Amino acid sequence: MAKQYILTVLASNRTGILAALANALDELGGNTLDVSQAVIRQFFTMIVAAEFPENRDPDVIVDHIRAVCRPYGAEVSLKDPSDEEVFESADDPVEKQRYVLTIAGPDRPGVLRFIAHRLAQHGIDLVDLQGQRREEDRTFLFSMELDAPLGIDSLQLRRELEIEFMSDSITVSLQHRRVLAALAHPEPMGFNVASPG
Amino acid sequence: MEHSTSFFSALQQLRQLPLDVRTITLGINVADCHDRSLHVLCESLYQRIVTKGAKLAAVCGEVSSLFGVPILQRRLCVTPIDRVAQGKNADDFVNIARTLDGAAANLHIDRIGGFAADVQHGMTSSSKQLIASLPAALSQTERVRAAVHVGTTESGVNMEAISLLAHTLLATSAATAHRNGDASAKLAILANDSTGHPHLTGACLGDGWGDLVVHVGVGAAAIIQHALQQQRRENPNAPLHELAATIQTAAFQATRTAELVGREVATRLGADFGSVDVTLAPTLRPHDSVVDLLPLMGIDRVGAPGTATALVLLLNAIRAGSAFASCAAGAYSRIMLSVLEDAGLSEATQSGTLTFDQLCMAANAGSSGLDLICLAGDTDAATLAAIISDQVSFAVLNRRPCAVRLIPVPGKQAGDAVSYSGMKNDAVILPVRGAGLATKFIERGGRLPPVR
């Protein structure tokens, strides 16, 4: 019987870090289930869901990875998903619609806070978020993928956000995943990801 | 560090596109509603439309909120009424028009098409009765759009019908003289409407479609405008082929969005998905028409020399973009120069840059025909018929569909201003040069033979 853990690794970004990490996981008998990796500034970050043999002590896992990745100054933390109380499960029966929200404009404090609060009020789940500020003209662009419950009026939501940010000349766009897919893929409709399901 | 994932860079290009859908048209087959009794016929027509179209407005709202794409106009169309109401007289046809109007009002639908007749070869008695009913039917209803199909490339043109329609136009306009003859704006004279395609004004559910069909019309003007503005910022002197490429891309995006929305509406209504129409037409929004694209292309005002070239470039680019975007995109896309619905055109006619003759010739550069043009109230029937037959002849020769909507305004002379409720703009009565000089030609009647 295998046991699942969630690991996060933060290390300095130099060639070889992923190789070292993969080595460590292999030596521990681990098997990667789900992974997300990003490089922010000079740091390498990774979140991994992995399976380990039932009898593997969590402290051993953390210590071993830390030792193997020592040249990169890796910080490792580990969570046991079975310890956490789950409020929302991934296979929630409520039907969700996937949207992409993009916000861009002159940098100003509080934009993300406002949006996150507004989304929370509507019961919209944030699935993915990426963003950056350009130093040369101090503008920012971030985009997030949202899981909205069925029945959200996306025109209305976009208008609310637009009105909020209009005075700062920050632009807002909210697009359904299927609209983006229809525009971004050359295959005819019915053959591409814009089709439901 | 720059994010360079494809997701992120694709987003930057695609964000903020002003996507919208101009029309959703639900075609309902009512051919089996025929009955000898007028009462039974009207009752079954009404019930059929109200049942089949019940969810249209709600579904359009749902899909529009889901995708974040506004749907600007909802329409219904039915099987041509001259076939459904065989053997009825003109008064009966007026009652049928009222029934259609009531059904559309009940469903909160902006327009209902299908009060139509096919007369390209000759007229059946019911077609004649339908045409005879038009002055009363159109002046007593709000939402009904009528159409008469007078000719095709393959079958030739029925000139007798055009003469009859010219008289009908004058009578229709006279019946609403107190409203500047606005009822005649609801009658479209069509040519080359071979598939009964539902995008021409006043069109019907033609032959060869299923019982319930959803057609969608793209609102491409806004997105093309957006693309051209962006190109002007980046390279104000881009050569024309780059301009065409930009328009083509925008047309692709508009067509894709329209098809996505149309298919979703069709699925939710349990209807077939019909076709995507990429005709460039003005919408109710300000600065959302073809005429507003011309300055971005470098033509300061519509009607200036070069306008036709620009229109041809636009139309070709739109066809190319939409043909790749969707297998369902119709090959019959045109540019609608609807003077009364288009602020830019209306200004150009008032200032004199755009004349009646230029509008006539625009049919050869991709325009769908003379659309919503106000003429002097004393224009004689033969001149009206000649104007219509000129447009129909262009269309027949070029193998393209055309729709003519003329408004002879009672009591007004060339140069007078008129305004209408429900239309965006005031218009000016356009002078027609050489009126009355073709009477003998038109009075010969008969037919134009097919184009070989």
Side-chain angles (χ1 to χ4, degrees):
Chain A
M1 220 3 226
K3 173 119 183 73
Q4 264 192 42
Y5 292 102
I6 309 290
L7 285 160
T8 68
V9 182
L10 175 67
S12 49
N13 183 36
R14 291 206 312 277
T15 319
I17 168 69
L18 185 60
L21 186 61
N23 248 349
L25 289 176
D26 190 41
E27 284 159 7
L28 289 162
N31 184 20
T32 306
L33 302 173
D34 211 348
V35 62
S36 169
Q37 185 245 298
V39 174
I40 301 279
R41 307 279 152 145
Q42 64 274 43
F43 289 102
F44 166 95
T45 63
M46 188 146 123
I47 309 174
V48 191
E51 280 180 342
F52 292 94
E54 184 74 28
N55 55 358
R56 187 74 71 216
D57 187 335
D59 291 340
V60 171
I61 299 175
V62 172
D63 287 345
H64 186 72
I65 295 174
R66 207 170 273 157
V68 173
C69 301
R70 189 176 305 283
Y72 303 93
E75 286 171 30
V76 182
S77 65
L78 179 140
K79 286 268 187 199
D80 184 347
S82 56
D83 290 349
E84 302 288 316
E85 206 172 323
V86 179
F87 292 103
E88 292 171 42
S89 90
D91 40 61
D92 205 342
V94 179
E95 197 185 332
K96 301 274 185 153
Q97 293 290 329
R98 179 68 59 91
Y99 290 91
V100 176
L101 174 67
T102 315
I103 315 270
D107 196 13
R108 176 202 105 164
V111 175
L112 189 57
R113 187 186 63 182
F114 178 85
I115 289 170
H117 278 278
R118 184 50 61 91
L119 295 181
Q121 277 171 7
H122 284 289
I124 297 172
D125 198 12
L126 216 157
V127 191
D128 196 3
L129 166 66
Q130 297 190 52
Q132 67 186 54
R133 191 178 78 163
R134 287 208 314 201
E135 291 306 326
E136 55 268 33
D137 52 1
R138 298 187 68 79
T139 57
F140 72 93
L141 170 85
F142 63 80
S143 84
M144 40 181 96
E145 283 196 63
L146 311 174
D147 261 353
L150 205 60
I152 287 283
D153 185 342
S154 64
L155 279 170
Q156 180 63 32
L157 177 61
R158 187 180 71 198
R159 214 164 293 136
E160 274 175 34
L161 295 175
E162 267 170 1
I163 289 168
E164 172 64 27
F165 295 122
M166 201 180 279
S167 55
D168 299 308
S169 59
I170 292 173
T171 57
V172 177
S173 94
L174 181 65
Q175 278 177 317
H176 195 275
R177 187 189 63 91
R178 284 168 60 195
V179 174
L180 275 178
L183 297 181
H185 293 265
E187 304 92 339
M189 300 273 305
F191 294 91
N192 70 20
V193 272
S195 316
Chain B
M1 165 164 281
E2 279 296 300
H3 286 282
S4 58
T5 56
S6 59
F7 163 76
F8 219 69
S9 54
L11 258 182
Q12 299 214 19
Q13 289 164 15
L14 294 177
R15 70 198 181 87
Q16 279 188 8
L17 293 176
L19 299 168
D20 52 32
V21 166
R22 189 169 61 85
T23 58
I24 291 276
T25 308
L26 179 68
I28 303 173
N29 179 15
V30 296
D32 57 327
C33 292
H34 174 70
D35 197 278
R36 283 189 177 278
S37 145
L38 175 71
H39 179 75
V40 175
L41 168 63
C42 287
E43 181 63 20
S44 57
L45 259 181
Y46 187 87
Q47 290 303 336
R48 172 67 54 83
I49 295 169
V50 168
T51 321
K52 294 287 184 184
K55 291 199 304 179
L56 178 62
V59 163
C60 284
E62 281 168 28
V63 173
S64 175
S65 328
L66 173 71
F67 289 130
V69 176
I71 295 172
L72 302 179
Q73 200 175 48
R74 301 175 301 250
R75 300 175 178 179
L76 287 174
C77 66
V78 294
T79 317
I81 290 296
D82 72 327
R83 287 182 226 170
V84 182
Q86 299 281 351
K88 299 285 181 287
N89 64 30
D91 290 341
D92 296 344
F93 274 102
V94 175
N95 281 314
I96 293 170
R98 285 195 188 141
T99 306
L100 295 177
D101 198 40
N106 184 327
L107 299 177
H108 304 287
I109 301 297
D110 313 321
R111 287 180 185 186
I112 182 162
F115 198 70
D118 272 315
V119 298
Q120 63 269 41
H121 292 287
M123 283 184 268
T124 61
S125 57
S126 69
S127 306
K128 281 185 192 143
Q129 295 300 324
L130 186 141
I131 292 172
S133 78
L134 285 172
L138 293 180
S139 56
Q140 293 174 23
T141 59
E142 181 66 30
R143 295 170 166 83
V144 175
R145 294 294 183 274
V148 182
H149 186 206
V150 295
T152 67
T153 303
E154 292 75 23
S155 57
V157 180
N158 186 346
M159 293 294 284
E160 302 268 5
I162 292 183
S163 288
L164 176 60
L165 283 166
H167 287 285
T168 309
L169 262 180
L170 288 172
T172 309
S173 161
T176 46
H178 58 294
R179 302 199 305 253
N180 283 334
D182 67 352
S184 50
K186 294 186 273 186
L187 169 61
I189 296 152
L190 310 180
N192 265 346
D193 177 28
S194 51
T195 56
H197 80 69
H199 303 300
L200 286 170
T201 29
C204 48
L205 180 74
D207 297 336
W209 294 106
D211 279 335
L212 199 61
V213 191
V214 170
H215 297 282
V216 56
V218 308
I223 185 170
I224 293 175
Q225 195 172 21
H226 175 83
L228 287 176
Q229 279 164 347
Q230 196 173 353
Q231 188 181 42
R232 189 169 63 173
R233 277 194 295 275
E234 286 161 11
N235 179 9
N237 300 318
L240 292 178
H241 59 271
E242 284 179 23
L243 216 58
T246 305
I247 295 166
Q248 199 170 326
T249 311
F252 170 87
Q253 290 163 335
T255 311
R256 268 295 162 84
T257 313
E259 187 179 0
L260 180 69
V261 170
R263 282 189 189 275
E264 186 68 27
V265 170
T267 311
R268 291 185 181 206
L269 288 173
D272 297 338
F273 178 70
S275 62
V276 184
D277 170 48
V278 277
T279 296
L280 264 187
T283 66
L284 285 172
R285 295 179 173 172
H287 306 298
D288 191 14
S289 87
V290 190
V291 178
D292 299 298
L293 302 178
L294 294 175
L296 292 167
M297 297 168 74
I299 293 178
D300 290 339
R301 185 174 276 170
V302 58
T307 304
T309 317
L311 291 181
V312 169
L313 185 149
L314 252 173
L315 187 65
N316 275 332
I318 290 167
R319 287 208 182 127
S322 64
F324 179 65
S326 167
C327 306
Y332 33 66
S333 50
R334 306 293 282 162
I335 293 173
M336 276 176 77
L337 299 175
S338 311
V339 176
L340 269 179
E341 287 178 347
D342 190 320
L345 275 179
S346 158
E347 268 167 37
T349 50
Q350 283 169 27
S351 71
T353 341
L354 187 64
T355 65
F356 179 76
D357 300 341
Q358 282 170 313
L359 280 167
C360 286
M361 296 314 289
N364 286 326
S367 136
S368 63
L370 291 172
D371 202 21
L372 294 177
I373 287 175
C374 299
L375 300 174
D378 58 358
T379 312
D380 61 303
T383 304
L384 276 181
I387 293 170
I388 296 166
S389 68
D390 278 355
Q391 292 298 313
V392 170
S393 310
F394 285 150
V396 164
L397 184 66
N398 292 329
R399 296 170 198 272
R400 291 293 174 200
C402 108
V404 181
R405 286 189 288 178
L406 300 175
I407 313 167
V409 188
K412 299 275 183 177
Q413 296 303 318
D416 291 353
V418 273
S419 57
Y420 292 95
S421 66
M423 295 287 182
K424 270 197 306 189
N425 309 292
D426 289 354
V428 65
I429 310 275
L430 292 175
V432 178
R433 282 180 292 168
L437 300 182
T439 314
K440 283 184 216 136
F441 176 73
I442 294 299
E443 279 174 356
R444 286 169 187 268
R447 333 176 8 87
L448 285 187
V451 173
R452 311 286 170 193

